[in-house]
Amino acid sequence: MLKIPVKEGENIDRALKRYKRKFDRTGTKRALNARKQFTKPSVERRAQIQKAQYVQGLRDQESI
């Protein structure tokens, strides 16, 4: 459970923004979305390989 102590005199919008940032960093939402639908291990591996190729291509272009 995330707890965000609200400081005295602090704007509620600012505290809400801190909560959202902390929630994003935990990766909870990403994990929930991943569990919504089953993906085969071969599909996950293929996606990882494609992402690695994309990143490698960007790095190659950067070094040129």
Side-chain angles (χ1 to χ4, degrees):
M1 175 186 276
L2 292 175
K3 292 184 181 180
I4 305 294
V6 179
K7 300 168 188 167
E8 192 165 329
E10 184 180 20
N11 190 356
I12 191 71
D13 291 330
R14 185 176 211 94
L16 186 62
K17 188 172 185 176
R18 283 191 316 169
Y19 171 77
K20 288 180 180 179
R21 192 178 315 127
K22 197 170 191 180
F23 181 75
D24 284 342
R25 288 183 183 155
T26 60
T28 310
K29 188 169 182 170
R30 236 176 285 128
L32 285 173
N33 284 339
R35 278 190 245 142
K36 273 185 181 177
Q37 186 175 355
F38 177 77
T39 56
K40 292 172 32 178
S42 61
V43 174
E44 287 180 10
R45 247 181 281 120
R46 192 176 329 127
Q48 285 179 346
I49 291 170
Q50 287 175 341
K51 183 178 178 181
Q53 288 173 341
Y54 174 74
V55 170
Q56 188 63 43
L58 289 177
R59 288 186 178 149
D60 288 344
Q61 285 179 353
E62 189 177 282
S63 65
I64 291 177

